Amino acid sequence: MTDDAGLTHGTRVPLASIEPPIALGPLDGRYRAAVAPLVDHLSEAALNRERVHVEVEWLIHLAAHRVLPGAPTLAAEEVAYLRGVVATFGAAEIAELGTIEKVTVHDVKAVEYFLKERLAAAPRALGPDTVLPGVGELVHFGCTSEDINNLSYALMVQGAVRHVWLPAARALVTQVAGLAREHRAVPLLARTHGQPATPTTLGKELAVLAHRLGRQLRRIEAAEYLGKLNGATGTYGAHVVAVPGADWQGVSRTFVEHLGLTWNPLTTQIESHDWQAELYSDVARFNRILHNLATDVWTYISMGVFVQIPVEGATGSSTMPHKVNPIRFENAEANLELSCALLDSLASTLVTSRLQRDLTDSTTQRNIGPAFGHSLLAIDNVRRGLGALAVDHELLARDLDANWEVLGEPVQSAMRAASVAGVTGMENPYERLKELTRGKRLTADDMRGFVAGLGLPDDVATRLAELTPASYTGLAAELVDHLDLLDRPDHRDRSDHRDR
C-alpha cells in the first residue's frame, strides 16, 4: 500500500497483532508504573470484581435478613465460600467472564451467570449438604443492571480516592508545606504583573499553595459516595409484587450502608451521579491549583530562584548539553489539563439522563480511570520535581538589592501615618514617592537620602533608614505558621464546615 507521499506501508508488521498487546494510551504504556495502583480500583477488571462483590453481598443480605420466605439460612462456611469468590477473582475469572459475555452480550448478565456457576460448583468445595446450589435465584433478585453498576462504581471510586489518590495528594501537600516551613524566612522579591513588588518570603508563597491544596483535600476527604438498589425505575415495583410483606426500603438502605455507602432513596433507574459530579469538580479544582504551583515553580526555575539538581546520566536537550529542563513540571501541566478535561466532561455529562434512563453514563464512567490516572501521574511528577530543587540564595539577595524602589510603599505609608499624627511637611506622600521611583532603579543611597530629607520623627526616620528590601517582608515568615494551625483537628473540623 502506498500513500499520497509515495511511502510504502504494506510490509510493516501490524503492531496491533503483537502479543502481549501494545498499549494504545500512555497511561497503560509509558507511564504504567506511576498509575498502576489505580488498576486495582478503576479498570474494567476491577468493575467486574466489584459487580461480583455486590451480587454476592446482596445474596448474603437477602438470606441473612430472611427477606424471601422459604430462602435457606447460609452457614458461616457458605458465606465464606461466596466471599472467597470475590477474594480470589483474578486472571482466570476475568477470562471466564469474557467468554460468558460473548454469549450474553451483556456484562452484568455475564456476572450473574458466572456467580450461578460458582453456586452450582459449591458441593465440590463444601460437601453435598450445602444449600448454595438451591439459592441461584437469589442472585440478582429484583435488580436491574444499574442497581449493581451504581454500587460497583461507587465502591471503585471510593477505593481509588481513599487508598490511592488521596494518599498521593496528601504526600504532595505535606512536601509543599515542608518546603514552606524550610524557607519560611527566605526573603524573595515578589512580582505582581511580572514586575518587582513588595518583598515576601519564599516560604510564605509556598505556604499559600499548600493551604489552597489542603483546603481542596478536606473537601475531597468529606465526599459522599451514594448508592441505590430499587429496581428498574426506582419504584421497587418487582420487589413489592414478588414479596409484598418485606420492608424493601429498609432492606435497600441497610444493604447500601452495609457496603459503606450513603443510601440514595430517590432515583430513576440510575443513581443520579450528582455525588460523582461534586467529587470530580473538587478533584479538578485541586488539579488546577496544582497546575498553578507547577507554572509558578517553572517560572521560578526560569528566573534562577530554584536550581534543578541534575540527574546523573540524564539528557536535557538532544543538541544543547548544558540544559536541565523543568520537564517534571511541564509533564505535570499537560497531565493536569488532560485530567481536568476528563473530570469536567464526567461532571457535566453524568448529571443528565433522559427521562428514567439512557446509556450515556455507561461509556462515560469507563473513563474515570484515565481521569484519575492523569492526575496521579501529575502528582508524581510534581513530587519528583520538587525533590530535585535547590534555592539560589545569592541570586535572591542580588535581586532584592537591585530593587530599592520597592521601599517606596513603606516610605509613603510612614509619611501618611506621620501626617495623621500631625507632622508637617508630609503632603502628597504617594505622589512624591511615585515621582521618585516609578520606572526607575534606585540605590540604597538614593532611598536613604530621600528619607533623610523628609523631616520625619527620629524614630520613624531611623526605622526607615534601617529598612532594606530583604528585611521588608512584613509578617510573611509568621504567616507560614498557619499551616500548623490548619493541621489541627479542631481547626479542620471548623474549616470543613465553613467550606461546605
Side-chain angles (χ1 to χ4, degrees):
M1 181 179 67
T2 303
D3 64 16
D4 293 340
L7 299 175
T8 301
H9 300 295
T11 57
R12 292 184 176 183
V13 174
L15 299 181
S17 67
I18 294 176
E19 292 291 340
I22 294 174
L24 177 62
L27 293 181
D28 283 318
R30 184 180 185 90
Y31 304 125
R32 174 75 175 191
V35 302
L38 287 173
V39 173
D40 204 41
H41 299 279
L42 296 177
S43 62
E44 190 74 15
L47 171 59
N48 278 326
R49 183 176 61 187
E50 289 303 335
R51 285 166 168 161
V52 174
H53 169 56
V54 172
E55 293 277 17
V56 162
E57 291 302 322
W58 179 234
L59 188 160
I60 293 171
H61 192 76
L62 291 174
H65 290 80
R66 302 179 178 275
V67 179
L68 275 71
T73 301
L74 302 183
E77 60 269 22
E78 290 169 326
V79 171
Y81 171 83
L82 288 171
R83 288 177 173 156
V85 174
V86 182
T88 59
F89 188 87
E93 290 72 24
I94 292 168
E96 182 181 347
L97 263 177
T99 300
I100 298 172
E101 189 179 342
K102 287 178 181 178
V103 177
T104 62
V105 198
H106 193 289
D107 46 10
V108 177
K109 202 65 179 176
V111 169
E112 179 185 344
Y113 290 161
F114 169 87
L115 191 51
K116 284 182 175 179
E117 289 181 7
R118 293 301 185 276
L119 294 176
R124 293 197 299 271
L126 300 174
D129 295 332
T130 178
V131 302
L132 290 183
V135 298
E137 294 312 314
L138 284 181
V139 178
H140 205 69
F141 181 84
C143 295
T144 183
S145 297
E146 180 58 17
D147 285 326
I148 307 304
N149 280 338
N150 90 94
L151 296 170
S152 298
Y153 272 112
L155 292 170
M156 289 163 63
V157 175
Q158 183 187 67
V161 171
R162 291 183 176 176
H163 301 303
V164 181
W165 189 89
L166 267 174
R170 288 191 193 107
L172 167 69
V173 175
T174 298
Q175 185 178 10
V176 177
L179 288 170
R181 294 183 182 101
E182 179 183 353
H183 303 299
R184 69 192 297 277
V186 176
L188 171 73
L189 182 69
R191 282 178 166 82
T192 57
H193 310 281
Q195 307 304 306
T198 299
T200 179
T201 68
L202 182 56
K204 180 262 181 181
E205 299 312 308
L206 291 169
V208 170
L209 291 161
H211 173 48
R212 294 175 65 195
L213 291 168
R215 184 169 178 270
Q216 297 312 311
L217 284 191
R218 291 193 291 277
R219 295 177 65 92
I220 294 165
E221 288 166 347
E224 283 189 297
Y225 301 83
L226 273 63
K228 71 97 182 180
L229 195 151
N230 51 18
T233 58
T235 65
Y236 301 95
H239 305 70
V240 172
V241 170
V243 187
D247 175 12
W248 282 110
Q249 290 195 67
V251 171
S252 172
R253 179 182 59 78
T254 54
F255 176 62
V256 171
E257 292 176 351
H258 160 73
L259 293 175
L261 305 173
T262 299
W263 182 57
N264 187 345
L266 282 167
T267 77
T268 60
Q269 183 178 106
I270 70 167
E271 198 288 319
S272 306
H273 307 323
D274 297 343
W275 71 264
Q276 291 194 54
E278 294 159 2
L279 172 65
Y280 303 151
S281 294
D282 285 345
V283 174
R285 194 177 307 107
F286 177 95
N287 283 348
R288 290 186 168 100
I289 295 169
L290 184 56
H291 189 283
N292 196 175
L293 182 151
T295 55
D296 273 7
V297 172
W298 186 98
T299 304
Y300 284 134
I301 291 171
S302 73
M303 294 163 55
V305 172
F306 286 124
V307 178
Q308 296 182 99
I309 303 169
V311 176
E312 185 68 30
T315 298
S317 167
S318 62
T319 61
M320 294 175 281
H322 69 283
K323 295 188 73 179
V324 183
N325 293 332
I327 57 173
R328 294 297 170 202
F329 301 101
E330 293 169 344
N331 183 294
E333 284 184 53
N335 279 286
L336 290 166
E337 289 161 9
L338 287 168
S339 177
C340 285
L342 287 168
L343 291 168
D344 289 347
S345 180
L346 287 164
S348 62
T349 300
L350 289 177
V351 294
T352 301
S353 184
R354 294 174 185 85
L355 301 179
Q356 283 69 54
R357 174 66 162 137
D358 69 40
L359 271 175
T360 52
D361 64 333
S362 179
T363 294
T364 301
Q365 289 182 106
R366 282 184 162 87
N367 290 281
I368 297 170
F372 278 95
H374 285 292
S375 179
L376 188 66
L377 177 58
I379 290 170
D380 179 69
N381 270 289
V382 172
R383 291 205 66 202
R384 292 165 69 183
L386 291 174
L389 296 179
V391 176
D392 188 338
H393 294 273
E394 292 183 1
L395 180 141
L396 295 182
R398 290 196 304 270
D399 202 17
L400 287 160
D401 196 51
N403 287 276
W404 278 79
E405 57 274 10
V406 297
L407 297 187
E409 180 192 34
V411 171
Q412 64 99 5
S413 296
M415 292 174 65
R416 287 173 183 253
S419 177
V420 172
V423 178
T424 60
M426 298 294 118
E427 296 82 6
N428 304 315
Y430 177 86
E431 289 72 19
R432 290 161 69 181
L433 267 299
K434 176 181 173 182
E435 181 180 351
L436 175 70
T437 62
R438 194 162 192 255
K440 302 174 185 177
R441 282 294 174 89
L442 274 68
T443 65
D445 290 341
D446 293 332
M447 183 56 72
R448 286 170 177 157
F450 178 82
V451 171
L454 288 174
L456 288 162
D458 290 344
D459 61 328
V460 179
T462 299
R463 187 165 65 246
L464 291 177
E466 293 173 350
L467 190 64
T468 69
S471 66
Y472 179 44
T473 57
L475 302 176
E478 296 175 36
L479 293 173
V480 176
D481 297 338
H482 281 285
L483 293 178
D484 298 321
L485 296 173
L486 292 169
D487 284 340
R488 283 169 38 186
D490 59 334
H491 184 97
R492 288 166 67 90
D493 292 343
R494 292 195 301 273
S495 62
D496 285 348
H497 177 73
R498 288 195 300 272
D499 290 351
R500 287 290 177 189

